[in-house]
Amino acid sequence: MKNYEAFKNHYKLNLNEQQAKAVVRTTGQTLLLAVPGSGKTTVIICRIAYLLLVEKVNPSAILTLTFSRMGARDLKLRYQSLFGEVQAEALHFSTIHSFSLSVIRYYERSYHRRAYEVLGNVTPVIRDLYRKLFDGFPGEIELGEIIQQIGYCKNMLLTNKEIEKLPVMEIDFLKIYEAYEAYKLEQHLMDFDDILKYAWGLLKKYPGILGYFREKHPYIHLDEAQDTSKIQFKLLELLSGENGNLFMVGDEDQSIYGFRGAFPQSLLSFRSTWPQGEVLLMETNYRSTRHIVDKANAFIKLNSERYAKEMTTPNGDGLPIAREWVKSNEAQYQLIIEAIKREGKEIAVLYRNNESAIPLVDLLERENIPYLIKEHSPLFFTHFTIKDIQCFHQFACDPSNFEVFSQICFKMDAAISRETVNQLGKHLTLNQNIFDALIKTSRERPWQIKRFRELKEAFHRLKNASPKNGIQMILDDLGYTSYLNFRISSGQSEENIEQKLAVLKTLGGRVESFQEFFDNLNALEQRLRETQIHGGKKPRVTLSTLHSSKGLEFEKVFMIDAIEGQLPSVVSMSPGNEKLYAEEVRLFYVGATRARKELIFICPQISAKTGKPSQFISYLIDGLPKKKPVTIEGSKPTKNHQAQSFGNPKTAWQDFTGANTEDLGVDLSGYENGGSVNHQRFGQGKILALEGAIATIQFEKAGVKKMNLAVCIGNGVIK
């Protein structure tokens, strides 16, 4: 420790006992578990400097790996600021992917062989395969979901059988996954995540390559270890071996990227992987007040699969954590705007989903308040619900527009067949109201004539309706809710659809006409595609998803949409999803520990069907329940997120999706309990129960689902 003391004094380092222990343990395998605000980055760079300056290790022998390029750059810059630019330039800070690619390039040079070419842009390939396989055009959101799922499968090293057990999507995911793999093999390509598996395979197959990299980098640092995937851990395990010097820094309590393959179980199994290794702790939070630290420390114990840690702080008590109850979504945004205007503090607004920020961005723009938004995804504006609402209103303005009608006719709960649409297109006269033409061709179906007349009247009213009322009319009077139910039963997330509609209704309530509404959506989309800092000045507020807020800190933090169904999500509260629920706990913990002095949750009472604040808020402020939530204990199933239960129609047509078969005009006499059906998405299924048109069906791969047979048959979904 004499050399350490000289090192510490020379660079005027102020490290506590736990931090110092991590810096000087330079041999063997070490897992350093660092609570939020404990100075993990400082420890990593001090340890690197200690190796160089005290133990005289060659800079090229040290490899420091992190998850992202930004993370690698930040570590290098931080090192420069403390120990000088000359030393930093000699060190190797890299992403795991970049290092893996260097393994592949070394193989090419050493064995004079050509490895696969890297596929830079996956999206066009997936889009083309989708069109060929499913005869359709995927939206940007659906493309993103497919690509993310592919990455997850590769990072988790899933087999085809394991892939079949993943949550159901609207398309056959395994089919497109296998087609994608076949395409790459044929074209001699590998994607971004294939690089990891390729490098791992080379290190296993060629002892000479493994020996070269072990000798080249005998000291390996890994930052953000909790974000590392299964394949990445296998790479590190191979590189380190039994006798290597591996230093991993992370916190299993902050592992929040399970959807892209983060594998915190590798941290939990550290001692079994490296029996001679040591687990160290850094438990002092220098960021937050005692009120926040003590509550967060107790809250994270809701999870049981974790290392025992006791987060403490030398800071004062500070203000108690606050709950704000508001009556509407609009009220929560107005509350934040008022706080920003009133206070000169560094404020952050955190939220679960990207779209939660859009109404707030709209108000910030109107008030000319500078803001910074972290990694916002503009995919909200490409969602099918927005396009559908635009089409509904466009048709209301021109009820003779056959092209627009053909896009929405299957979404208005009127059992209009494709054959009817095809015949209609041949007989329409110029400027004829399409519903007048439909009424003439439906003489044998009195119920349908009645429905067409109601739709004609509803579209007439929609033309001059305000956006706020008009969106609700589209859902209720025009039958769009039934179509959304169908999409949910086919694999769409109910909570995501509800969230998007809530945002549209909030924005719609701020303008008088649909034209203003659509113009404002276009302006917001353009604004959010521009640079991250808006307003031309130092931002007064930062907007961020909970995921993107990791690693950041702010004087005052608002967490909005703090309601049941958002956090925790509906899916995580379903039986069998205990691991997902545990990640939701960690996500909430990460959000809460971003605050230095003030933490405020805003709970809109009518944002969700339940209108209940997040159970996590109560656990954080009031203390944990005596028993874990019923979703963990498994004693009481919650509402299945795949259930066909979206919306709350209020018109005479509210029972249409559950109507008797005679009214629907679809013959269901051939369907009975025990009978077989073939669904275009879910494949073969067996009818377990049939009440009117509502069938409970056991599908071979997708499990049990409820759906309206008449609607599905009428739309050609079930045969």
Side-chain angles (χ1 to χ4, degrees):
M1 287 296 289
K2 182 178 180 181
N3 286 335
Y4 166 75
E5 289 297 330
F7 166 72
K8 184 180 73 169
N9 293 334
H10 179 77
Y11 287 100
K12 298 178 181 179
L13 303 175
N14 185 21
L15 303 179
N16 65 31
E17 185 178 343
Q18 288 183 327
Q19 292 171 330
K21 186 176 181 181
V23 167
V24 300
R25 179 177 162 79
T26 57
T27 58
Q29 297 87 26
T30 305
L31 172 60
L32 176 62
L33 299 172
V35 304
S38 59
K40 71 174 183 65
T41 302
T42 298
V43 168
I44 292 175
I45 59 177
C46 286
R47 187 178 190 273
I48 295 171
Y50 183 81
L51 284 167
L52 293 178
L53 302 171
V54 178
E55 300 198 350
K56 305 303 180 182
V57 172
N58 192 305
S60 63
I62 304 171
L63 173 65
T64 302
L65 299 172
T66 189
F67 181 78
S68 66
R69 291 179 182 177
M70 183 180 295
R73 184 177 65 250
D74 288 347
L75 281 175
K76 186 174 182 178
L77 290 173
R78 187 73 181 275
Y79 190 94
Q80 287 178 355
S81 69
L82 280 180
F83 300 105
E85 186 173 347
V86 175
Q87 287 188 28
E89 289 303 319
L91 292 166
H92 191 182
F93 296 92
S94 172
T95 65
I96 299 179
H97 284 86
S98 179
F99 170 76
S100 298
L101 191 59
S102 71
V103 172
I104 296 170
R105 298 304 179 226
Y106 178 80
Y107 158 76
E108 290 180 319
R109 294 192 302 271
S110 301
Y111 291 84
H112 306 290
R113 297 177 184 175
R114 186 72 173 170
Y116 289 178
E117 293 294 325
V118 178
L119 176 61
N121 190 355
V122 174
T123 302
V125 177
I126 298 298
R127 182 184 288 114
D128 188 54
L129 290 172
Y130 187 107
R131 290 171 180 170
K132 291 177 180 177
L133 293 172
F134 306 116
D135 192 27
F137 297 89
E140 293 302 313
I141 292 177
E142 189 172 11
L143 275 175
E145 290 173 345
I146 294 169
I147 293 169
Q148 179 178 288
Q149 189 89 306
I150 289 172
Y152 174 82
C153 294
K154 292 176 181 295
N155 276 278
M156 292 298 289
L157 296 173
L158 298 185
T159 64
N160 282 5
K161 287 187 178 180
E162 290 171 326
I163 291 173
E164 288 180 345
K165 296 178 182 178
L166 292 175
V168 175
M169 300 179 72
E170 282 198 289
I171 49 94
D172 188 335
F173 172 74
L174 182 58
K175 188 175 182 179
I176 198 168
Y177 180 83
E178 291 178 331
Y180 173 62
E181 293 299 290
Y183 169 84
K184 286 187 299 167
L185 187 62
E186 181 182 340
Q187 300 295 320
H188 211 64
L189 296 169
M190 61 180 173
D191 65 21
F192 192 59
D193 292 310
D194 289 327
I195 292 172
L196 301 170
K197 192 172 182 180
Y198 201 144
W200 179 51
L202 292 174
L203 292 171
K204 287 196 301 179
K205 184 177 181 179
Y206 298 98
I209 297 178
L210 179 60
Y212 169 81
F213 281 98
R214 280 183 174 177
E215 184 177 351
K216 183 179 181 182
H217 300 300
Y219 295 90
I220 299 176
H221 294 83
L222 175 67
D223 190 21
E224 302 291 1
Q226 74 284 338
D227 297 336
T228 308
S229 68
K230 181 181 284 189
I231 179 62
Q232 291 168 345
F233 268 114
K234 286 188 173 295
L235 264 168
L236 288 167
E237 187 177 347
L238 200 57
L239 283 168
S240 173
E242 295 181 0
N243 303 311
N245 304 306
L246 175 64
F247 184 75
M248 301 195 301
V249 185
D251 182 9
E252 81 285 5
D253 289 335
Q254 297 183 73
S255 181
I256 58 174
Y257 293 109
F259 60 88
R260 65 187 185 197
F263 194 62
Q265 288 82 354
S266 290
L267 299 186
L268 297 173
S269 60
F270 175 84
R271 286 194 176 99
S272 61
T273 304
W274 289 287
Q276 303 304 315
E278 186 172 352
V279 177
L280 302 180
L281 302 178
M282 291 203 319
E283 300 168 291
T284 304
N285 180 315
Y286 294 100
R287 173 188 301 156
S288 306
T289 62
R290 183 171 287 107
H291 267 304
I292 294 172
V293 168
D294 288 351
K295 294 293 187 181
N297 181 61
F299 171 81
I300 195 60
K301 294 175 183 177
L302 187 62
N303 284 348
S304 56
E305 291 189 12
R306 57 184 295 271
Y307 287 98
K309 297 187 288 291
E310 292 296 334
M311 182 167 60
T312 61
T313 183
N315 299 330
D317 289 345
L319 297 171
I321 299 171
R323 284 173 281 208
E324 291 284 353
W325 303 82
V326 293
K327 294 183 177 180
S328 66
N329 279 333
E330 182 66 20
Q332 75 174 338
Y333 296 119
Q334 294 292 344
L335 185 151
I336 291 171
I337 292 295
E338 291 169 8
I340 295 169
K341 289 180 176 180
R342 184 176 61 248
E343 304 174 20
K345 299 176 181 177
E346 177 190 36
I347 293 177
V349 181
L350 307 183
Y351 37 84
R352 173 59 183 276
N353 298 305
N354 266 299
E355 48 261 40
S356 291
I358 296 172
L360 184 55
V361 167
D362 183 44
L363 288 181
L364 290 168
E365 291 283 345
R366 292 169 187 261
E367 298 288 345
N368 197 28
I369 298 174
Y371 61 96
L372 167 69
I373 187 162
K374 294 282 294 179
E375 299 182 25
H376 184 82
S377 169
L379 290 180
F380 167 84
F381 299 96
T382 67
H383 196 260
F384 72 87
T385 52
I386 295 179
K387 181 181 178 182
D388 287 346
I389 287 172
Q390 288 174 326
C391 286
F392 271 103
H393 187 261
Q394 188 177 353
F395 184 71
C397 295
D398 181 10
S400 66
N401 190 325
F402 179 75
E403 182 180 350
V404 175
F405 175 78
S406 64
Q407 296 180 54
I408 60 173
C409 61
F410 307 115
K411 304 174 183 180
M412 57 180 68
D413 209 5
I416 300 172
S417 67
R418 295 187 184 276
E419 182 180 355
T420 298
V421 176
N422 292 336
Q423 292 299 320
L424 182 65
K426 299 175 183 178
H427 300 101
L428 275 176
T429 60
L430 185 64
N431 297 326
Q432 183 181 16
N433 187 303
I434 288 178
F435 286 113
D436 290 337
L438 285 170
I439 290 169
K440 289 181 180 179
T441 60
S442 301
R443 294 297 181 190
E444 297 180 1
R445 294 183 176 181
W447 65 267
Q448 202 169 39
I449 293 174
K450 178 184 177 185
R451 179 59 176 156
F452 290 154
R453 286 172 176 162
E454 289 184 355
L455 287 170
K456 179 182 177 181
E457 172 59 26
F459 273 106
H460 179 71
R461 287 185 282 111
L462 176 63
K463 179 180 179 180
N464 297 312
S466 67
K468 182 178 180 180
N469 294 332
I471 292 171
Q472 200 61 52
M473 288 172 58
I474 291 170
L475 289 166
D476 296 345
D477 302 347
L478 299 179
Y480 189 53
T481 292
S482 296
Y483 172 73
L484 294 179
N485 278 332
F486 165 71
R487 293 295 295 266
I488 290 165
S489 71
S490 300
Q492 277 280 338
S493 167
E494 179 179 353
E495 58 189 296
N496 285 345
I497 289 177
E498 283 194 337
Q499 173 75 3
K500 287 171 175 60
L501 289 174
V503 170
L504 292 172
K505 290 176 183 178
T506 299
L507 294 174
R510 296 175 182 171
V511 293
E512 297 297 324
S513 70
F514 266 101
Q515 188 58 55
E516 289 180 89
F517 175 67
F518 295 134
D519 288 345
N520 193 36
L521 284 177
N522 291 333
L524 284 170
E525 179 180 13
Q526 181 61 36
R527 199 71 178 107
L528 289 168
R529 289 185 185 276
E530 295 172 359
T531 56
Q532 291 183 320
I533 297 179
H534 305 267
K537 304 175 183 178
K538 182 179 179 180
R540 296 176 61 185
V541 60
T542 298
L543 312 181
S544 175
T545 62
L546 289 165
H547 285 97
S548 295
S549 73
K550 190 167 172 293
L552 304 178
E553 57 182 69
F554 308 92
E555 184 175 357
K556 184 171 186 172
V557 168
F558 287 100
M559 196 180 297
I560 63 174
D561 286 339
I563 55 173
E564 209 81 340
Q566 289 272 0
L567 193 68
S569 67
V570 173
V571 181
S572 71
M573 293 187 289
S574 300
N577 285 327
E578 288 81 2
K579 286 188 177 180
L580 183 56
Y581 185 90
E583 180 159 317
E584 299 279 293
V585 170
R586 297 194 292 267
L587 183 60
F588 187 86
Y589 172 78
V590 165
T593 53
R594 298 311 93 196
R596 289 199 296 266
K597 295 182 178 180
E598 292 184 68
L599 177 59
I600 301 171
F601 299 97
I602 306 181
C603 310
Q605 292 178 307
I606 61 171
S607 292
K609 291 179 182 179
T610 61
K612 295 180 180 178
S614 168
Q615 58 187 257
F616 289 166
I617 299 174
S618 177
Y619 299 159
L620 178 72
I621 297 177
D622 305 322
L624 299 185
K626 293 181 180 179
K627 294 182 179 180
K628 284 194 174 183
V630 295
T631 52
I632 300 297
E633 297 294 326
S635 60
K636 182 180 178 182
T638 58
K639 177 172 68 66
N640 191 318
H641 73 288
Q642 295 287 354
Q644 188 175 14
S645 58
F646 172 80
N648 184 27
K650 299 176 182 177
T651 71
W653 283 87
Q654 62 180 320
D655 296 321
F656 186 76
T657 54
N660 61 60
T661 57
E662 181 181 354
D663 280 347
L664 284 172
V666 177
D667 182 10
L668 297 182
S669 60
Y671 296 85
E672 57 186 12
N673 291 351
S676 297
V677 295
N678 190 340
H679 192 283
Q680 71 174 15
R681 167 64 187 92
F682 303 129
Q684 290 292 326
K686 180 181 180 181
I687 299 176
L688 302 179
L690 184 61
E691 290 186 31
I694 303 299
T696 302
I697 305 174
Q698 171 75 57
F699 291 100
E700 294 175 2
K701 295 182 179 180
V704 177
K705 294 186 177 295
K706 278 190 177 183
M707 53 187 63
N708 189 307
L709 273 184
V711 172
C712 291
I713 293 168
N715 287 321
V717 176
I718 280 184
K719 299 179 181 178

